[in-house]
Structures are given as structure tokens and as C-alpha cells.
Amino acid sequence: MSERTESESRKLLRRLRDTLATTGGGQDRLDRITHLIADSMKTEVCSIYLFRDPETLELCATEGLKKEAVHQTRMKLGEGLVGRVARTNSAVNTANAPAEKGFRYMPETGEEIYSSFLGVPIQRVGEKLGVLVVQSKTARSFSDDEIYALDVVAMVLAEMTELGAFTSDDNGMSALHRQPALFRGGIGQEGSAEGHVWLHEPRVVVTNPVADDPLTEIERIREAVGQLRVSIDDLLAAQSLDKDQVQVLEAYRMFANSRGWLRRMEEDIMRGLSAEAAVEKEQSAARARLEQVEDAYLRERLSDLDDLSNRLLRLLTGQGQDTGAEMPENPVLVARNIGPAELLDYGRSLKGVVLEEGSVGSHAAIVARALAIPLVINTGRITAEALNGDHILVDGDQGIVHLRPEETVARAFRDKIAMQAEAQKRYASLRKLPATTLCGKTISLSMNAGLMADLPSLEGSGAEGVGLFRTELQFLIRNKMPRRAELASLYARVMDAAKGKRVAFRTLDIGSDKVLPYMKPQDEPNPAMGWRAIRVGLDKPGVLRMQVQALIRAANGRPLTVMFPFITEFSEFQEARSHVLRELHRERSLGHVPPAKIEIGAMLETPSLAYAPKAFFELVDFISIGGNDLKQFFFAADRENERVRRRYDTLNFSFLNFIEQIVARCNETGTALSYCGEDAGRPIEALALSAMGLRSLSMRPASIGPVKALLRKTNLDEAKSVIVAARDSGEPSARQALMNWLAEQPN
């Protein structure tokens, strides 16, 4: 790269900056910029195409083409050479544009006399904004230096587009981050919320993309990269990192120590960009490269690159995560991802949570359920679109997010929330009434919990007790193993808050999607079927014994209910039960008051346990069907995989027949049986499970009202007859028959 070229590039950017700084409307700026670029690059044509909507490019300014084509010529993403640049996020450089594959002739532009074509994407960190094009009559390919120079100019245009420099009434172009946007994702936690965006990691704003003194900017970038490298080394030196955290930080270190990464940013600065703009240009370019590769591992490194670039930008700009902004009223948290401890720090102040990543079994989803906060996951690039304070609607029932919604959408959404609130009032009137059906059968309805924050719902929901208390959350939100005394104190407070109602404590259920940050992770090809739950407890009995001791001390003479997760065979239950009995004997010998009564149960989460010997059903005090896991193993459908999870219906007769068999085995031995999981909280599913013989269901607190309301106005004997008739007729599922029957029932 020659000094003359560098000087010309810097001169062009300074002229561009001066042009952008002058007064005038957005269209005037665009017109002057296209003239400036054509003049500087000695081309007859310079045109700027911007996205009118996510699929449509519009000619917004030109020097050289017919002016009447401006705001008239439009093309779809991928259409013509301009559309190809936008679709592929890469340059197109040709000496003979009309002969190029995919060329589309636009007669209204008068471009047929121009042979050479160079188009580069206008993009900002993966966000497609438009295309910058230069054309000449002379048939020639543009040089690497010319491509590089146009790329740098496109980077500045991207920053200016982001800042709204080209919006005005005279060109009909609206500002970015002002239009309504719809995002579809997955359901992490049901519920609806209206509020305002609160970004977990606010966007870094680059306000001056052009450098006055390149040498000063290079000093700044080198110093910031040095600080970044040291901070990553310090993080890697920490002792409490799990394998995933180490892998991420190693990827950070690889990028941060890449000589090519720093060299490319320094070259951008010598071309005239500021240090901050150089970071974003390299981030955008690397993103474009990685998005094209087929290797899934390399594509996953995009998030590492984004995180690293944002860290570097924060060092350069001084814009930390704490920007001093005030959390808006009714905040809805928007983030790429978030850990359970961070989400708990926000607590119930949040109205909802929206994540770009996440899964139904993630720690964040578990905490969101505990806090009863609507959660939508896997929403795509919402953090690139949302701004702090934006109006947002979160539909956790459908997995849909409306950002900056139109008033008609907002009104319809508020109507939905009002209807839900009205329904909750009706359910509140049933709070103290039993879930007794028209045929006289009473179903016990309990709630699921995992935090002290859940316990106030015990009274308000009308739950008869806690059918599942997830003890692992207290382990997941810490960076070290909790002490026995801490756990005993927590469990005692849970029992106090329950005010004598039964609480079923599930022992530590880790592994699979729940990895403790301070335990060595296991690299397993299929963790859901690997070393998890009671398997960990039996192989590492110290933790199991410590937890049982804490529970016994917390009970302090009160009744205690303990159940083991993921029991797959009789011998596992026998071994786990023997640990409880030994610790009970030990605690007595130490002078601690034993529980007045102890129930020791098992969660049935794999089909194998349903076929355990009769002796198991005689020995176990109670069984809780863990419906979420049981369904995924019964149907061989990973519940984290949206493509297969939704294919299989709880009311499929294969599954209902299996449930009926479990009920029969428990009835034979008089073993108490309950069903715990998402399906227990869905009224139609709860009705079907009750009709198949289950008399105890455990669900999230908000589901108890709707389930109780339906059970109290239906006859289980009739529902069972409907199910049997549908089964005998060869129907694959009982759902439609039940829905039709319910529609005929009086309200």
C-alpha cells in the first residue's frame, strides 16, 4: 500500500466527514456524498442503495445515473449485481457488468453505457444496511487498493446510517431503530408482558468514525489491545472456571493475540478510520467471512468475535456496561444470553426477558420460571435492533416479541393481557376450593418451586403444597459449593414459608443441561443420557450426604419429604435410600432432632423404572412422574430441539397408555403417584392425565387456577369414556376428541 494511496484515502474520508457535518437534509447529504466519491475515485458513477425493508433495496442517491430513477428503482435481496452484493455481504468487481451472471438491466437508470462495476456492502456488525457502487464506461477491473478504499468509505456510511444521518422527510427514508420489528423465537416461560427495553449489554456507539491523526489512533488501538490481552490472561488464571468458560476465553485469547487482526485494524486506521471504526470494520468483515463457512464450530465463533470486539470498543470509548442510564419503567431485559445469578440480581423488577440464545432447559429459563417472568428465547439479532427504552411486547405463550409495535398491535396485546387478568380474578375466587370434579373425584394440585422467591405463590395460587422443590438452583447460582449450614438455613426457611404444607425436596439434579460452574464438567456426546442427577449423587456420595444432613436439620422435628431424580432401576433407589437412612441414624446420634415423619420417593423419568420389580413399588413411599424428561425419552425427542420437540403430543395414545400402566402398577401396591412437568399445568393435558387415573399434579403456580377451573366443571368418568372411544376408533391422539367434547359442555 503506497503512501500516496493512504493519503488519498485519508483525504477522501476527511472530505466525507466535512460533508456529513454540514447542514442539510438527509437526501442532500446522500447526493453530495455520491458526487464526492465519484470525483475522488475518478468514476463516472457512484450510487448508494439502502434497504427499504429487510428484502428490498432502493436506489437512494446517484452521481451519473438518471436522477429520476432515485427512490424509484428497487430490487429484491439477491436480484442483480447489487442484490448479490447485499445477499453475500461481499464485493462484486467486474470489468464487464452486462456479461456477469445475474446481471439485471434497469432501463430507467441509464446504466447500459457503463461497463465496469464495483459494489461493496454497507454493513455494521452483521447488520445489512445497503450497497455502495461505483461504475465506469471503461472496461476495467478495479484494483485491490480501490476496493479497500471503497470498503472503508462504506464503513463510514454504515456508521452514519446507524446514527440517522440520511433520514429526512424529503427522501422517505426513516431512521433505523424506529420502525416496528417482529421477532419469533422459542417459548422459555409462558406469560405476557408490556414494557420498555433494558439492554443487559448496551450498544457501543461510535460517533466519530474518521481519524484526524492516524499515529495517535494506532497508539490507542495498540494500548487497548494490550489491556485486552492482559484482562483475558487474568480471567484464564481464575481457579473457578468450567470447561466451557475456558474454551470461550481461549478463543478470546486466540483472536486477541492474532497479529493479522491487529495489522488489519492498523491498516484501516492508516486509511483514515478512527480506532473505534477500525474495530467495527474488522468485526463486520470477519463476520461476513465466518458466516459463509460451512463448519459449524467456526460459525459459532461469531459470538466470541462479537464479545471480544465489544470488550475492545468499551476499552477505547470508556463506555462500560454501566452507562449511567436509568432503568425504564416496566423493564424488559434484552440480552444475547444471561446467567442465572445475573438474572436473579434483576429479580422481580423485570416484566419479561428476551434472549437471542438460550434453551427451554437453560439456567436462565429455570430462574425465569421460578420468578414467573415471561421469557422468549432464540430471537435472532434483537440486541442489534433494540435500544434502551424502546416499547416492547413479550408474548411468552407464542414465543413472539413485538419491538416498537404499532398502536393497533399494542391495543390487541393489551386486550389479551386484560383478558388474562380477568381470568386470573376468576381463578382467585377458586383459590380455597378443592379441585373436585363433577363426578366427585378430587385432584391434588401442587406447585413447583426452586427459590425462596417462589414461596409467596404458595398461598396466592391455592396450591396444596410444593410437589417439586428444585434444590439445584442454590448450587447453580454460586461460584463455589454451598456449605451445609447455608443449605440447612435455606431449607428451614422454605419449610417455614410453607406453613405446614408438604414440600417435596428433590435432591441435586445436575448434569445434562445443568452444569455447576465449580465442578469439573464431563465431555459427553449425549449429556441428557449421561452422568447426571442421582448417578452423580451415588458416585459422589459426599454431596448427597451433605444435602440430606441439611434437610434433616432443617426439618428439626417437622415432616420431611425427599425424592431422588432420574432413578432408572430399583438398585439405584435402594442405594440412595440407604444413604438417607444412614444419615438419619447419624443425625440422631449427634443429638439433632429427627423429622417427625420421613417420606422417601423417586422421580420416574425413564420408561425403564415403570417396569421395575414389584418390590420397588412396595418400598418407595411415593413416585413423581417427571413428565418433561419422560416424554423426551419415551418419544426419543430431545426437548432442547425445537424441530422434534413439538412433533410429539402428550395426548398421543402411546404415551397415555403408558401413563395408564404406571397408574395401574401404583394402584396395585397402594403407592402414591403424582405427575410433575409442563403438561401438568396445561388444562387439557391435566384433564387427560386425571382421567387416566392420576390424582396429584404439580405445576407452576400460575397454572393452578386454569387447571382447577377446568377440573371443577368436568366429569372425569365422561372424559375417560371420550378418551377410550377415540382410542378404540383408531385415533392417534385423544386431543381432538377431548376438545370437541369440551366444546359441547355447558360453561
Side-chain angles (χ1 to χ4, degrees):
M1 177 169 46
S2 68
E3 182 59 35
R4 185 195 67 77
T5 303
E6 291 172 5
S7 299
E8 290 297 324
S9 177
R10 290 201 296 272
K11 189 186 300 181
L12 170 58
L13 286 181
R14 279 197 292 272
R15 291 176 65 191
L16 187 60
R17 180 187 61 190
D18 293 342
T19 298
L20 289 166
T22 58
T23 58
Q27 186 62 51
D28 185 48
R29 285 198 187 98
L30 285 169
D31 292 340
R32 280 183 280 152
I33 287 168
T34 53
H35 174 78
L36 171 64
I37 296 170
D39 181 61
S40 297
M41 295 194 67
K42 304 297 186 286
T43 60
E44 286 97 342
V45 173
C46 175
S47 303
I48 295 174
Y49 297 81
L50 297 176
F51 276 100
R52 171 64 67 174
D53 59 53
E55 294 295 323
T56 309
L57 285 154
E58 182 177 299
L59 176 63
C60 291
T62 186
E63 173 75 15
L65 299 183
K66 292 179 180 178
K67 292 294 184 183
E68 53 267 31
V70 173
H71 299 304
Q72 299 303 312
T73 296
R74 295 184 180 182
M75 61 200 70
K76 292 295 183 183
L77 184 66
E79 184 181 4
L81 299 186
V82 173
R84 189 168 105 194
V85 172
R87 180 176 55 79
T88 62
N89 254 3
S90 56
V92 170
N93 178 20
T94 177
N96 187 357
E100 192 75 17
K101 184 179 179 181
F103 173 81
R104 183 194 164 195
Y105 173 52
M106 302 283 194
E108 72 274 15
T109 65
E111 66 177 340
E112 65 274 11
I113 61 174
Y114 303 106
S115 181
S116 58
F117 175 101
L118 171 60
V120 298
I122 302 172
Q123 58 171 323
R124 184 181 185 271
V125 195
E127 186 177 8
K128 297 177 179 181
L129 301 173
V131 176
L132 175 61
V133 175
V134 291
Q135 294 171 272
S136 292
K137 293 178 181 177
T138 306
R140 70 180 185 93
S141 292
F142 290 88
S143 68
D144 289 343
D145 280 343
E146 287 172 313
I147 297 171
Y148 196 105
L150 202 64
D151 255 334
V152 171
V153 171
M155 171 69 204
V156 175
L157 293 181
E159 293 296 340
M160 294 301 101
T161 304
E162 176 76 13
L163 294 171
F166 307 129
T167 60
S168 66
D169 294 335
D170 56 347
N171 64 9
M173 299 300 291
S174 56
L176 296 175
H177 315 296
R178 292 292 180 270
Q179 296 301 302
L182 173 69
F183 295 87
R184 297 185 183 275
I187 301 169
Q189 162 68 9
E190 294 161 339
S192 303
E194 178 178 11
H196 299 90
V197 169
W198 180 249
L199 290 168
H200 183 55
E201 293 184 338
R203 298 163 67 94
V204 177
V205 180
V206 178
T207 56
N208 181 21
V210 181
D212 288 316
D213 183 354
L215 295 180
T216 299
E217 295 299 301
I218 283 179
E219 283 183 24
R220 291 180 65 227
I221 195 77
R222 287 176 178 173
E223 181 180 351
V225 169
Q227 292 175 15
L228 182 67
R229 290 170 177 170
V230 170
S231 69
I232 293 169
D233 289 340
D234 289 344
L235 287 170
L236 275 165
Q239 298 298 311
S240 59
L241 297 175
D242 64 31
K243 183 178 178 181
D244 289 340
Q245 291 170 320
V246 170
Q247 283 184 337
V248 169
L249 288 172
E250 289 287 4
Y252 285 0
R253 183 155 67 179
M254 178 187 72
F255 279 122
N257 286 282
S258 167
R259 293 180 181 178
W261 186 53
L262 180 58
R263 186 193 71 247
R264 287 190 294 272
M265 289 188 291
E266 289 180 351
E267 288 176 353
D268 293 334
I269 290 170
M270 292 306 297
R271 291 277 188 174
L273 291 181
S274 65
E276 292 87 346
V279 173
E280 285 210 341
K281 180 179 181 301
E282 175 55 23
Q283 184 182 4
S284 295
R287 255 193 159 277
R289 290 194 299 271
L290 287 173
E291 284 174 343
Q292 299 300 316
V293 301
E294 295 183 3
D295 189 302
Y297 174 81
L298 288 177
R299 285 200 306 273
E300 287 170 3
R301 300 280 68 78
L302 280 171
S303 60
D304 298 335
L305 175 65
D306 287 342
D307 282 344
L308 191 72
S309 299
N310 288 335
R311 285 170 182 254
L312 185 55
L313 283 169
R314 293 187 195 286
L315 287 171
L316 285 165
T317 62
Q319 297 177 32
Q321 289 190 9
D322 184 4
T323 62
E326 190 172 330
M327 185 179 283
E329 186 180 2
N330 298 324
V332 171
L333 187 72
V334 175
R336 193 162 62 87
N337 216 335
I338 191 169
E342 293 172 301
L343 187 51
L344 277 171
D345 285 342
Y346 286 106
R348 294 186 184 272
S349 65
L350 298 176
K351 290 294 181 181
V353 180
V354 179
L355 301 179
E356 288 188 352
E357 300 176 1
S359 64
V360 292
S362 67
H363 304 160
I366 293 168
V367 172
R369 289 185 202 116
L371 297 174
I373 299 172
L375 167 67
V376 177
I377 56 177
N378 297 321
T379 56
R381 290 176 56 78
I382 191 171
T383 58
E385 179 63 34
L387 297 178
N388 272 339
D390 277 348
H391 186 201
I392 188 170
L393 309 175
V394 181
D395 188 341
D397 302 321
Q398 302 294 325
I400 293 174
V401 178
H402 298 274
L403 187 63
R404 301 182 292 270
E406 295 177 343
E407 185 54 32
T408 52
V409 174
R411 278 201 302 269
F413 193 81
R414 289 184 196 117
D415 288 344
K416 175 184 176 180
I417 292 177
M419 289 174 62
Q420 290 175 335
E422 188 63 34
Q424 286 300 328
K425 287 181 184 177
R426 293 199 304 272
Y427 302 147
S429 66
L430 305 176
R431 186 175 58 203
K432 295 184 179 180
L433 299 176
T436 302
T437 65
L438 295 179
C439 55
K441 297 178 177 65
T442 299
I443 311 301
S444 174
L445 303 181
S446 299
M447 60 173 268
N448 300 332
L451 297 167
M452 277 300 299
D454 292 318
L455 272 299
S457 299
L458 187 55
E459 183 69 25
S461 67
E464 296 174 40
V466 178
L468 166 66
F469 190 89
R470 303 180 184 92
T471 61
E472 61 272 7
L473 286 180
Q474 303 308 317
F475 290 77
L476 289 168
I477 63 178
R478 297 166 180 257
N479 56 17
K480 62 180 180 180
M481 183 76 73
R483 296 178 180 275
R484 179 179 57 195
E486 294 173 326
L487 292 177
S489 175
L490 169 72
Y491 300 152
R493 293 201 307 276
V494 170
M495 292 182 190
D496 292 342
K499 298 178 181 178
K501 291 183 177 180
R502 180 177 181 269
V503 180
F505 290 93
R506 181 178 68 188
T507 59
L508 191 60
D509 185 4
I510 57 169
S512 184
D513 55 348
K514 308 186 197 86
V515 180
L516 300 184
Y518 43 85
M519 285 186 71
K520 183 179 179 181
Q522 305 300 307
D523 187 12
E524 297 181 301
N526 193 346
M529 299 176 71
W531 196 60
R532 56 170 292 199
I534 197 60
R535 296 170 179 175
V536 178
L538 296 179
D539 289 351
K540 300 285 185 181
V543 177
L544 177 61
R545 290 200 303 266
M546 183 265 284
Q547 193 176 20
V548 171
Q549 291 163 12
L551 285 166
I552 293 170
R553 295 182 187 186
N556 193 28
R558 292 176 286 192
L560 175 63
T561 302
V562 180
M563 63 180 175
F564 305 116
F566 209 62
I567 296 290
T568 60
E569 59 180 10
F570 185 22
S571 61
E572 288 177 336
F573 177 74
Q574 288 176 305
E575 187 178 351
R577 182 175 181 273
S578 68
H579 280 299
V580 174
L581 297 179
R582 276 197 298 270
E583 294 311 317
L584 193 59
H585 176 74
R586 179 179 178 276
E587 291 297 300
R588 279 199 187 98
S589 66
L590 291 174
H592 295 291
V593 181
K597 172 189 174 185
I598 187 164
E599 292 180 285
I600 305 175
M603 293 203 74
L604 193 157
E605 298 172 278
T606 62
S608 64
L609 193 62
Y611 301 100
K614 184 178 181 181
F616 163 71
F617 290 89
E618 293 172 334
L619 183 63
V620 70
D621 291 322
F622 67 95
I623 291 173
S624 177
I625 296 174
N628 297 343
D629 261 335
L630 182 62
K631 257 177 68 178
Q632 80 165 340
F633 293 124
F634 185 85
F635 288 114
D638 182 358
R639 64 189 177 115
E640 299 294 336
N641 186 335
E642 290 294 319
R643 295 179 68 179
V644 299
R645 187 172 75 94
R646 295 176 180 274
R647 289 173 64 99
Y648 300 101
D649 186 3
T650 307
L651 303 194
N652 180 289
F653 280 117
S654 297
F655 191 69
L656 286 183
N657 290 343
F658 184 56
I659 294 297
E660 193 174 34
Q661 290 177 31
I662 297 170
V663 170
R665 294 214 65 184
C666 288
N667 288 343
E668 181 187 0
T669 54
T671 307
L673 176 66
S674 65
Y675 190 102
C676 172
E678 294 173 9
D679 290 322
R682 297 187 173 113
I684 302 298
E685 283 81 345
L687 173 62
L689 293 169
S690 300
M692 301 312 288
L694 281 152
R695 294 294 176 262
S696 179
L697 305 173
S698 189
M699 63 202 72
R700 66 188 185 103
S703 297
I704 289 176
V707 168
K708 184 185 288 187
L710 181 60
L711 289 174
R712 284 181 58 85
K713 65 180 184 181
T714 53
N715 184 312
L716 286 187
D717 294 335
E718 291 182 16
K720 178 67 179 290
S721 297
V722 170
I723 292 171
V724 171
R727 179 171 60 190
D728 292 345
S729 70
E731 292 292 325
S733 167
R735 185 171 301 279
Q736 193 58 55
L738 270 180
M739 295 286 287
N740 293 342
W741 175 72
L742 284 171
E744 297 169 357
Q745 304 306 301
N747 289 329

